[in-house]
Each structure stands twice: as structure tokens, then as C-alpha cells.
mmCIF file of all heavy atoms in Angstrom:
data_model
loop_
_atom_site.group_PDB
_atom_site.id
_atom_site.type_symbol
_atom_site.label_atom_id
_atom_site.label_comp_id
_atom_site.label_asym_id
_atom_site.label_seq_id
_atom_site.Cartn_x
_atom_site.Cartn_y
_atom_site.Cartn_z
ATOM 1 N N GLU T 24 73.280 82.712 64.458
ATOM 2 C CA GLU T 24 71.882 83.094 64.348
ATOM 3 C C GLU T 24 71.630 84.438 63.665
ATOM 4 O O GLU T 24 70.732 84.599 62.897
ATOM 5 C CB GLU T 24 71.260 83.138 65.770
ATOM 6 C CG GLU T 24 69.833 83.657 65.794
ATOM 7 C CD GLU T 24 69.306 83.855 67.242
ATOM 8 O OE1 GLU T 24 70.012 83.500 68.196
ATOM 9 O OE2 GLU T 24 68.171 84.342 67.360
ATOM 10 N N TYR T 25 72.546 85.364 63.885
ATOM 11 C CA TYR T 25 72.348 86.695 63.336
ATOM 12 C C TYR T 25 73.181 86.945 62.052
ATOM 13 O O TYR T 25 73.199 88.086 61.547
ATOM 14 C CB TYR T 25 72.771 87.741 64.345
ATOM 15 C CG TYR T 25 71.900 87.696 65.604
ATOM 16 C CD1 TYR T 25 72.384 87.206 66.798
ATOM 17 C CD2 TYR T 25 70.600 88.174 65.595
ATOM 18 C CE1 TYR T 25 71.633 87.192 67.980
ATOM 19 C CE2 TYR T 25 69.783 88.084 66.715
ATOM 20 C CZ TYR T 25 70.325 87.598 67.900
ATOM 21 O OH TYR T 25 69.583 87.592 69.004
ATOM 22 N N THR T 26 73.816 85.977 61.532
ATOM 23 C CA THR T 26 74.645 85.980 60.353
ATOM 24 C C THR T 26 75.479 87.234 60.387
ATOM 25 O O THR T 26 76.142 87.530 61.381
ATOM 26 C CB THR T 26 73.797 85.876 59.070
ATOM 27 O OG1 THR T 26 72.943 86.956 58.914
ATOM 28 C CG2 THR T 26 73.107 84.517 59.026
ATOM 29 N N ASP T 27 75.454 88.024 59.320
ATOM 30 C CA ASP T 27 76.352 89.242 59.223
ATOM 31 C C ASP T 27 75.952 90.348 60.184
ATOM 32 O O ASP T 27 76.725 91.224 60.444
ATOM 33 C CB ASP T 27 76.394 89.758 57.787
ATOM 34 C CG ASP T 27 75.072 90.162 57.235
ATOM 35 O OD1 ASP T 27 74.003 89.746 57.725
ATOM 36 O OD2 ASP T 27 75.106 90.964 56.263
ATOM 37 N N ALA T 28 74.764 90.335 60.748
ATOM 38 C CA ALA T 28 74.352 91.310 61.722
ATOM 39 C C ALA T 28 75.015 91.125 63.046
ATOM 40 O O ALA T 28 74.967 91.978 63.960
ATOM 41 C CB ALA T 28 72.824 91.367 61.872
ATOM 42 N N SER T 29 75.685 89.983 63.253
ATOM 43 C CA SER T 29 76.364 89.642 64.526
ATOM 44 C C SER T 29 77.370 90.736 64.900
ATOM 45 O O SER T 29 77.603 90.933 66.111
ATOM 46 C CB SER T 29 77.072 88.365 64.437
ATOM 47 O OG SER T 29 76.139 87.277 64.281
ATOM 48 N N LYS T 30 77.866 91.404 63.921
ATOM 49 C CA LYS T 30 78.891 92.460 64.255
ATOM 50 C C LYS T 30 78.280 93.623 65.045
ATOM 51 O O LYS T 30 79.000 94.436 65.543
ATOM 52 C CB LYS T 30 79.563 92.901 62.976
ATOM 53 C CG LYS T 30 78.708 93.524 61.948
ATOM 54 C CD LYS T 30 79.413 93.943 60.635
ATOM 55 C CE LYS T 30 79.697 92.834 59.744
ATOM 56 N NZ LYS T 30 78.755 92.485 58.761
ATOM 57 N N PHE T 31 76.980 93.692 65.107
ATOM 58 C CA PHE T 31 76.272 94.800 65.859
ATOM 59 C C PHE T 31 75.775 94.345 67.210
ATOM 60 O O PHE T 31 75.144 95.079 67.904
ATOM 61 C CB PHE T 31 75.160 95.358 64.983
ATOM 62 C CG PHE T 31 75.661 96.031 63.729
ATOM 63 C CD1 PHE T 31 75.643 95.321 62.544
ATOM 64 C CD2 PHE T 31 76.207 97.278 63.786
ATOM 65 C CE1 PHE T 31 76.118 95.919 61.394
ATOM 66 C CE2 PHE T 31 76.708 97.912 62.631
ATOM 67 C CZ PHE T 31 76.636 97.192 61.403
ATOM 68 N N ILE T 32 75.995 93.113 67.644
ATOM 69 C CA ILE T 32 75.432 92.603 68.896
ATOM 70 C C ILE T 32 75.818 93.438 70.052
ATOM 71 O O ILE T 32 75.044 93.684 70.975
ATOM 72 C CB ILE T 32 75.825 91.123 69.117
ATOM 73 C CG1 ILE T 32 75.027 90.211 68.178
ATOM 74 C CG2 ILE T 32 75.660 90.689 70.512
ATOM 75 C CD1 ILE T 32 75.416 88.785 68.226
ATOM 76 N N PHE T 33 77.031 93.965 70.110
ATOM 77 C CA PHE T 33 77.505 94.685 71.298
ATOM 78 C C PHE T 33 77.355 96.209 71.198
ATOM 79 O O PHE T 33 77.831 96.960 72.066
ATOM 80 C CB PHE T 33 79.023 94.373 71.505
ATOM 81 C CG PHE T 33 79.179 92.840 71.764
ATOM 82 C CD1 PHE T 33 79.805 92.072 70.830
ATOM 83 C CD2 PHE T 33 78.719 92.266 72.938
ATOM 84 C CE1 PHE T 33 79.994 90.704 71.039
ATOM 85 C CE2 PHE T 33 78.878 90.928 73.163
ATOM 86 C CZ PHE T 33 79.546 90.116 72.214
ATOM 87 N N VAL T 34 76.690 96.721 70.118
ATOM 88 C CA VAL T 34 76.610 98.135 69.926
ATOM 89 C C VAL T 34 75.976 98.885 71.106
ATOM 90 O O VAL T 34 76.399 99.960 71.445
ATOM 91 C CB VAL T 34 75.870 98.457 68.614
ATOM 92 C CG1 VAL T 34 74.394 98.278 68.677
ATOM 93 C CG2 VAL T 34 76.254 99.843 68.077
ATOM 94 N N ASN T 35 75.029 98.285 71.796
ATOM 95 C CA ASN T 35 74.373 98.938 72.936
ATOM 96 C C ASN T 35 75.227 98.988 74.161
ATOM 97 O O ASN T 35 74.935 99.781 75.110
ATOM 98 C CB ASN T 35 73.027 98.269 73.240
ATOM 99 C CG ASN T 35 71.999 98.729 72.256
ATOM 100 O OD1 ASN T 35 71.914 99.870 71.846
ATOM 101 N ND2 ASN T 35 71.179 97.792 71.785
ATOM 102 N N SER T 36 76.314 98.203 74.244
ATOM 103 C CA SER T 36 77.192 98.226 75.416
ATOM 104 C C SER T 36 78.390 99.044 75.150
ATOM 105 O O SER T 36 79.336 99.068 76.033
ATOM 106 C CB SER T 36 77.559 96.804 75.813
ATOM 107 O OG SER T 36 78.215 96.150 74.748
ATOM 108 N N VAL T 37 78.509 99.727 74.018
ATOM 109 C CA VAL T 37 79.636 100.556 73.729
ATOM 110 C C VAL T 37 79.264 102.018 73.791
ATOM 111 O O VAL T 37 78.234 102.427 73.213
ATOM 112 C CB VAL T 37 80.232 100.208 72.320
ATOM 113 C CG1 VAL T 37 81.293 101.215 71.859
ATOM 114 C CG2 VAL T 37 80.703 98.748 72.286
ATOM 115 N N ASP T 38 80.103 102.815 74.421
ATOM 116 C CA ASP T 38 79.930 104.257 74.459
ATOM 117 C C ASP T 38 81.158 104.861 73.759
ATOM 118 O O ASP T 38 82.202 105.000 74.402
ATOM 119 C CB ASP T 38 79.775 104.723 75.916
ATOM 120 C CG ASP T 38 79.512 106.241 75.976
ATOM 121 O OD1 ASP T 38 78.939 106.754 75.034
ATOM 122 O OD2 ASP T 38 79.901 106.821 77.016
ATOM 123 N N GLY T 39 81.029 105.131 72.500
ATOM 124 C CA GLY T 39 82.156 105.632 71.722
ATOM 125 C C GLY T 39 82.221 105.060 70.381
ATOM 126 O O GLY T 39 81.197 104.679 69.774
ATOM 127 N N TYR T 40 83.438 104.926 69.796
ATOM 128 C CA TYR T 40 83.602 104.476 68.438
ATOM 129 C C TYR T 40 83.259 102.973 68.321
ATOM 130 O O TYR T 40 83.640 102.207 69.183
ATOM 131 C CB TYR T 40 85.032 104.695 67.966
ATOM 132 C CG TYR T 40 85.413 106.169 67.902
ATOM 133 C CD1 TYR T 40 86.204 106.726 68.861
ATOM 134 C CD2 TYR T 40 84.904 106.953 66.905
ATOM 135 C CE1 TYR T 40 86.530 108.117 68.843
ATOM 136 C CE2 TYR T 40 85.209 108.331 66.880
ATOM 137 C CZ TYR T 40 85.987 108.862 67.806
ATOM 138 O OH TYR T 40 86.323 110.218 67.801
ATOM 139 N N TYR T 41 82.578 102.664 67.262
ATOM 140 C CA TYR T 41 82.265 101.253 67.009
ATOM 141 C C TYR T 41 82.754 100.952 65.546
ATOM 142 O O TYR T 41 82.198 101.502 64.566
ATOM 143 C CB TYR T 41 80.730 101.065 67.087
ATOM 144 C CG TYR T 41 80.347 99.640 67.296
ATOM 145 C CD1 TYR T 41 80.254 99.086 68.569
ATOM 146 C CD2 TYR T 41 79.992 98.839 66.193
ATOM 147 C CE1 TYR T 41 79.826 97.783 68.754
ATOM 148 C CE2 TYR T 41 79.531 97.528 66.378
ATOM 149 C CZ TYR T 41 79.532 96.999 67.655
ATOM 150 O OH TYR T 41 79.081 95.710 67.877
ATOM 151 N N LEU T 42 83.725 100.111 65.440
ATOM 152 C CA LEU T 42 84.267 99.734 64.169
ATOM 153 C C LEU T 42 83.927 98.295 63.888
ATOM 154 O O LEU T 42 84.036 97.429 64.765
ATOM 155 C CB LEU T 42 85.823 99.859 64.122
ATOM 156 C CG LEU T 42 86.343 101.276 64.084
ATOM 157 C CD1 LEU T 42 86.607 101.796 65.452
ATOM 158 C CD2 LEU T 42 87.533 101.360 63.162
ATOM 159 N N THR T 43 83.449 98.018 62.668
ATOM 160 C CA THR T 43 83.117 96.658 62.310
ATOM 161 C C THR T 43 84.037 96.204 61.192
ATOM 162 O O THR T 43 84.446 97.034 60.386
ATOM 163 C CB THR T 43 81.656 96.521 61.840
ATOM 164 O OG1 THR T 43 81.459 97.385 60.703
ATOM 165 C CG2 THR T 43 80.699 96.894 62.925
ATOM 166 N N LEU T 44 84.406 94.983 61.215
ATOM 167 C CA LEU T 44 85.300 94.427 60.170
ATOM 168 C C LEU T 44 84.928 92.966 59.907
ATOM 169 O O LEU T 44 84.871 92.148 60.835
ATOM 170 C CB LEU T 44 86.752 94.490 60.639
ATOM 171 C CG LEU T 44 87.815 94.125 59.597
ATOM 172 C CD1 LEU T 44 87.825 95.149 58.436
ATOM 173 C CD2 LEU T 44 89.179 94.115 60.239
ATOM 174 N N ASP T 45 84.603 92.665 58.645
ATOM 175 C CA ASP T 45 84.273 91.300 58.356
ATOM 176 C C ASP T 45 85.484 90.378 58.617
ATOM 177 O O ASP T 45 86.616 90.786 58.486
ATOM 178 C CB ASP T 45 83.884 91.174 56.858
ATOM 179 C CG ASP T 45 82.459 91.632 56.578
ATOM 180 O OD1 ASP T 45 81.707 91.818 57.532
ATOM 181 O OD2 ASP T 45 82.117 91.769 55.405
ATOM 182 N N ASP T 46 85.150 89.160 59.014
ATOM 183 C CA ASP T 46 86.179 88.238 59.452
ATOM 184 C C ASP T 46 87.075 87.688 58.324
ATOM 185 O O ASP T 46 88.116 87.052 58.637
ATOM 186 C CB ASP T 46 85.573 87.069 60.225
ATOM 187 C CG ASP T 46 84.575 86.244 59.428
ATOM 188 O OD1 ASP T 46 84.370 86.555 58.195
ATOM 189 O OD2 ASP T 46 83.996 85.300 60.017
ATOM 190 N N ASP T 47 86.806 88.029 57.105
ATOM 191 C CA ASP T 47 87.655 87.577 56.007
ATOM 192 C C ASP T 47 88.598 88.681 55.500
ATOM 193 O O ASP T 47 89.274 88.469 54.538
ATOM 194 C CB ASP T 47 86.824 86.988 54.832
ATOM 195 C CG ASP T 47 85.832 87.927 54.223
ATOM 196 O OD1 ASP T 47 85.604 89.064 54.817
ATOM 197 O OD2 ASP T 47 85.214 87.610 53.247
ATOM 198 N N LEU T 48 88.577 89.851 56.195
ATOM 199 C CA LEU T 48 89.380 90.983 55.759
ATOM 200 C C LEU T 48 90.500 91.223 56.712
ATOM 201 O O LEU T 48 90.453 90.898 57.914
ATOM 202 C CB LEU T 48 88.513 92.232 55.669
ATOM 203 C CG LEU T 48 87.373 92.126 54.690
ATOM 204 C CD1 LEU T 48 86.520 93.432 54.814
ATOM 205 C CD2 LEU T 48 87.868 91.948 53.295
ATOM 206 N N GLN T 49 91.541 91.906 56.191
ATOM 207 C CA GLN T 49 92.621 92.328 57.030
ATOM 208 C C GLN T 49 92.933 93.786 56.645
ATOM 209 O O GLN T 49 92.729 94.174 55.476
ATOM 210 C CB GLN T 49 93.855 91.488 56.930
ATOM 211 C CG GLN T 49 94.494 91.370 55.575
ATOM 212 C CD GLN T 49 95.671 90.436 55.581
ATOM 213 O OE1 GLN T 49 95.959 89.735 56.513
ATOM 214 N NE2 GLN T 49 96.422 90.398 54.497
ATOM 215 N N VAL T 50 93.405 94.565 57.584
ATOM 216 C CA VAL T 50 93.696 96.010 57.395
ATOM 217 C C VAL T 50 95.065 96.332 57.929
ATOM 218 O O VAL T 50 95.666 95.580 58.678
ATOM 219 C CB VAL T 50 92.620 96.901 58.075
ATOM 220 C CG1 VAL T 50 91.229 96.635 57.482
ATOM 221 C CG2 VAL T 50 92.562 96.613 59.598
ATOM 222 N N GLY T 51 95.561 97.460 57.545
ATOM 223 C CA GLY T 51 96.915 97.869 57.971
ATOM 224 C C GLY T 51 96.916 98.537 59.322
ATOM 225 O O GLY T 51 95.917 98.736 59.963
ATOM 226 N N GLU T 52 98.144 98.938 59.724
ATOM 227 C CA GLU T 52 98.315 99.442 61.077
ATOM 228 C C GLU T 52 97.650 100.806 61.328
ATOM 229 O O GLU T 52 97.307 101.075 62.475
ATOM 230 C CB GLU T 52 99.857 99.666 61.269
ATOM 231 C CG GLU T 52 100.650 98.397 61.369
ATOM 232 C CD GLU T 52 102.118 98.637 61.576
ATOM 233 O OE1 GLU T 52 102.503 99.771 61.966
ATOM 234 O OE2 GLU T 52 102.872 97.715 61.391
ATOM 235 N N THR T 53 97.413 101.562 60.322
ATOM 236 C CA THR T 53 96.772 102.910 60.540
ATOM 237 C C THR T 53 95.279 102.901 60.273
ATOM 238 O O THR T 53 94.633 103.951 60.404
ATOM 239 C CB THR T 53 97.442 103.971 59.628
ATOM 240 O OG1 THR T 53 97.179 103.628 58.244
ATOM 241 C CG2 THR T 53 98.941 104.047 59.882
ATOM 242 N N TYR T 54 94.743 101.788 59.980
ATOM 243 C CA TYR T 54 93.282 101.690 59.623
ATOM 244 C C TYR T 54 92.399 102.304 60.750
ATOM 245 O O TYR T 54 91.539 103.080 60.453
ATOM 246 C CB TYR T 54 92.924 100.256 59.346
ATOM 247 C CG TYR T 54 91.421 100.053 59.074
ATOM 248 C CD1 TYR T 54 90.923 100.219 57.765
ATOM 249 C CD2 TYR T 54 90.537 99.703 60.094
ATOM 250 C CE1 TYR T 54 89.565 100.088 57.514
ATOM 251 C CE2 TYR T 54 89.200 99.520 59.798
ATOM 252 C CZ TYR T 54 88.713 99.701 58.517
ATOM 253 O OH TYR T 54 87.375 99.517 58.274
ATOM 254 N N VAL T 55 92.582 101.869 61.943
ATOM 255 C CA VAL T 55 91.710 102.347 63.002
ATOM 256 C C VAL T 55 91.786 103.860 63.174
ATOM 257 O O VAL T 55 90.797 104.531 63.193
ATOM 258 C CB VAL T 55 92.004 101.626 64.351
ATOM 259 C CG1 VAL T 55 91.240 102.255 65.507
ATOM 260 C CG2 VAL T 55 91.647 100.104 64.213
ATOM 261 N N GLN T 56 93.010 104.361 63.288
ATOM 262 C CA GLN T 56 93.204 105.858 63.463
ATOM 263 C C GLN T 56 92.625 106.593 62.218
ATOM 264 O O GLN T 56 91.987 107.611 62.431
ATOM 265 C CB GLN T 56 94.674 106.172 63.659
ATOM 266 C CG GLN T 56 95.316 105.649 64.908
ATOM 267 C CD GLN T 56 95.864 104.194 64.708
ATOM 268 O OE1 GLN T 56 95.557 103.477 63.719
ATOM 269 N NE2 GLN T 56 96.614 103.784 65.718
ATOM 270 N N ASP T 57 92.933 106.119 61.045
ATOM 271 C CA ASP T 57 92.440 106.789 59.813
ATOM 272 C C ASP T 57 90.978 106.793 59.794
ATOM 273 O O ASP T 57 90.329 107.855 59.457
ATOM 274 C CB ASP T 57 92.943 106.042 58.566
ATOM 275 C CG ASP T 57 94.440 106.056 58.384
ATOM 276 O OD1 ASP T 57 95.126 106.865 59.011
ATOM 277 O OD2 ASP T 57 94.919 105.193 57.567
ATOM 278 N N THR T 58 90.353 105.702 60.133
ATOM 279 C CA THR T 58 88.896 105.558 60.043
ATOM 280 C C THR T 58 88.208 106.383 61.110
ATOM 281 O O THR T 58 87.186 107.048 60.794
ATOM 282 C CB THR T 58 88.472 104.073 60.119
ATOM 283 O OG1 THR T 58 89.190 103.363 59.130
ATOM 284 C CG2 THR T 58 86.989 103.901 59.883
ATOM 285 N N ILE T 59 88.732 106.424 62.312
ATOM 286 C CA ILE T 59 88.144 107.302 63.350
ATOM 287 C C ILE T 59 88.219 108.755 62.967
ATOM 288 O O ILE T 59 87.259 109.537 63.192
ATOM 289 C CB ILE T 59 88.829 107.000 64.662
ATOM 290 C CG1 ILE T 59 88.343 105.642 65.221
ATOM 291 C CG2 ILE T 59 88.581 108.083 65.729
ATOM 292 C CD1 ILE T 59 89.052 105.138 66.466
ATOM 293 N N LYS T 60 89.342 109.169 62.367
ATOM 294 C CA LYS T 60 89.462 110.568 61.952
ATOM 295 C C LYS T 60 88.378 110.895 60.918
ATOM 296 O O LYS T 60 87.751 111.961 61.014
ATOM 297 C CB LYS T 60 90.865 110.759 61.298
ATOM 298 C CG LYS T 60 91.092 112.136 60.811
ATOM 299 C CD LYS T 60 92.511 112.238 60.186
ATOM 300 C CE LYS T 60 92.684 113.639 59.554
ATOM 301 N NZ LYS T 60 94.015 113.690 58.804
ATOM 302 N N GLU T 61 88.115 110.016 59.991
ATOM 303 C CA GLU T 61 87.031 110.261 58.990
ATOM 304 C C GLU T 61 85.678 110.158 59.642
ATOM 305 O O GLU T 61 84.747 110.896 59.244
ATOM 306 C CB GLU T 61 87.168 109.263 57.823
ATOM 307 C CG GLU T 61 88.473 109.387 57.063
ATOM 308 C CD GLU T 61 88.642 110.760 56.431
ATOM 309 O OE1 GLU T 61 87.711 111.283 55.733
ATOM 310 O OE2 GLU T 61 89.710 111.406 56.588
ATOM 311 N N CYS T 62 85.524 109.298 60.581
ATOM 312 C CA CYS T 62 84.245 109.185 61.344
ATOM 313 C C CYS T 62 83.960 110.509 62.042
ATOM 314 O O CYS T 62 82.770 110.984 62.031
ATOM 315 C CB CYS T 62 84.312 108.072 62.310
ATOM 316 S SG CYS T 62 82.844 107.803 63.351
ATOM 317 N N ASP T 63 84.940 111.102 62.662
ATOM 318 C CA ASP T 63 84.773 112.393 63.296
ATOM 319 C C ASP T 63 84.305 113.479 62.374
ATOM 320 O O ASP T 63 83.529 114.321 62.677
ATOM 321 C CB ASP T 63 86.057 112.809 64.018
ATOM 322 C CG ASP T 63 86.363 112.061 65.283
ATOM 323 O OD1 ASP T 63 85.408 111.407 65.803
ATOM 324 O OD2 ASP T 63 87.510 112.114 65.728
ATOM 325 N N LYS T 64 84.749 113.361 61.128
ATOM 326 C CA LYS T 64 84.412 114.377 60.105
ATOM 327 C C LYS T 64 83.069 114.135 59.466
ATOM 328 O O LYS T 64 82.344 115.086 59.238
ATOM 329 C CB LYS T 64 85.477 114.322 58.989
ATOM 330 C CG LYS T 64 85.420 115.361 57.918
ATOM 331 C CD LYS T 64 86.633 115.212 57.040
ATOM 332 C CE LYS T 64 86.655 116.226 55.935
ATOM 333 N NZ LYS T 64 87.811 116.084 55.053
ATOM 334 N N TYR T 65 82.701 112.845 59.223
ATOM 335 C CA TYR T 65 81.464 112.543 58.467
ATOM 336 C C TYR T 65 80.370 111.908 59.292
ATOM 337 O O TYR T 65 79.195 111.949 58.845
ATOM 338 C CB TYR T 65 81.805 111.607 57.290
ATOM 339 C CG TYR T 65 82.691 112.338 56.249
ATOM 340 C CD1 TYR T 65 84.044 111.974 56.172
ATOM 341 C CD2 TYR T 65 82.145 113.261 55.401
ATOM 342 C CE1 TYR T 65 84.829 112.647 55.195
ATOM 343 C CE2 TYR T 65 82.935 113.890 54.449
ATOM 344 C CZ TYR T 65 84.292 113.583 54.370
ATOM 345 O OH TYR T 65 85.084 114.183 53.432
ATOM 346 N N GLY T 66 80.652 111.267 60.406
ATOM 347 C CA GLY T 66 79.571 110.654 61.170
ATOM 348 C C GLY T 66 79.537 109.131 61.081
ATOM 349 O O GLY T 66 79.839 108.485 62.024
ATOM 350 N N ILE T 67 79.109 108.647 59.942
ATOM 351 C CA ILE T 67 79.080 107.150 59.694
ATOM 352 C C ILE T 67 79.836 106.962 58.411
ATOM 353 O O ILE T 67 79.585 107.538 57.402
ATOM 354 C CB ILE T 67 77.655 106.603 59.549
ATOM 355 C CG1 ILE T 67 76.757 107.052 60.668
ATOM 356 C CG2 ILE T 67 77.665 105.103 59.389
ATOM 357 C CD1 ILE T 67 75.260 106.793 60.431
ATOM 358 N N VAL T 68 80.867 106.056 58.453
ATOM 359 C CA VAL T 68 81.719 105.851 57.286
ATOM 360 C C VAL T 68 81.916 104.337 56.972
ATOM 361 O O VAL T 68 81.758 103.503 57.842
ATOM 362 C CB VAL T 68 83.102 106.536 57.481
ATOM 363 C CG1 VAL T 68 82.942 108.007 57.593
ATOM 364 C CG2 VAL T 68 83.831 105.962 58.665
ATOM 365 N N SER T 69 82.220 104.093 55.734
ATOM 366 C CA SER T 69 82.478 102.758 55.291
ATOM 367 C C SER T 69 83.453 102.860 54.112
ATOM 368 O O SER T 69 83.720 103.949 53.615
ATOM 369 C CB SER T 69 81.197 102.071 54.851
ATOM 370 O OG SER T 69 81.448 100.809 54.338
ATOM 371 N N TYR T 70 83.983 101.706 53.692
ATOM 372 C CA TYR T 70 84.892 101.608 52.574
ATOM 373 C C TYR T 70 84.261 100.797 51.427
ATOM 374 O O TYR T 70 84.947 100.392 50.525
ATOM 375 C CB TYR T 70 86.220 101.009 52.944
ATOM 376 C CG TYR T 70 87.015 101.925 53.907
ATOM 377 C CD1 TYR T 70 86.871 101.777 55.262
ATOM 378 C CD2 TYR T 70 87.893 102.867 53.414
ATOM 379 C CE1 TYR T 70 87.608 102.563 56.137
ATOM 380 C CE2 TYR T 70 88.614 103.713 54.277
ATOM 381 C CZ TYR T 70 88.465 103.544 55.619
ATOM 382 O OH TYR T 70 89.213 104.325 56.457
ATOM 383 N N HIS T 71 82.985 100.515 51.542
ATOM 384 C CA HIS T 71 82.325 99.638 50.587
ATOM 385 C C HIS T 71 80.900 100.090 50.427
ATOM 386 O O HIS T 71 80.219 100.380 51.456
ATOM 387 C CB HIS T 71 82.348 98.166 51.119
ATOM 388 C CG HIS T 71 82.020 97.129 50.184
ATOM 389 N ND1 HIS T 71 82.953 96.494 49.388
ATOM 390 C CD2 HIS T 71 80.851 96.555 49.825
ATOM 391 C CE1 HIS T 71 82.394 95.581 48.628
ATOM 392 N NE2 HIS T 71 81.108 95.597 48.891
#
């Protein structure tokens, strides 16, 4: 029903980091740690 916005359905039940990843992508082992580090620096981050 929510198409690509479905990745935000649980945002109100999370207190802390919220990472979204499209279901057709894969990332490496350090992606989460790297991205959180940049999030702490910039606030809201993306790679696209």
C-alpha cells in the first residue's frame, strides 16, 4: 500500500538511528558503522 514509503512505517517506534535500504541493494560489512558515523556528523545522510 505504501510502496517505497513502507521503509518509514516503523520510524515512530524507533528511538535512535534509522537506516533504510532498498530491497534490491546489498552493502558491505562496514556500511552500518560508516553510515552512523557520518549521520552523527551531518544529521541526515544518503548515498543517492
Side-chain angles (χ1 to χ4, degrees):
E24 174 186 355
Y25 298 108
T26 64
D27 61 337
S29 295
K30 61 183 80 89
F31 296 98
I32 286 177
F33 300 109
V34 76
N35 283 320
S36 60
V37 172
D38 184 25
Y40 297 105
Y41 199 88
L42 287 94
T43 59
L44 188 65
D45 281 348
D46 60 2
D47 58 353
L48 298 175
Q49 62 182 9
V50 296
E52 291 179 16
T53 65
Y54 176 85
V55 172
Q56 296 87 345
D57 296 344
T58 305
I59 286 173
K60 180 180 174 186
E61 296 300 311
C62 178
D63 286 342
K64 186 174 179 181
Y65 294 105
I67 308 169
V68 296
S69 179
Y70 293 92
H71 194 90

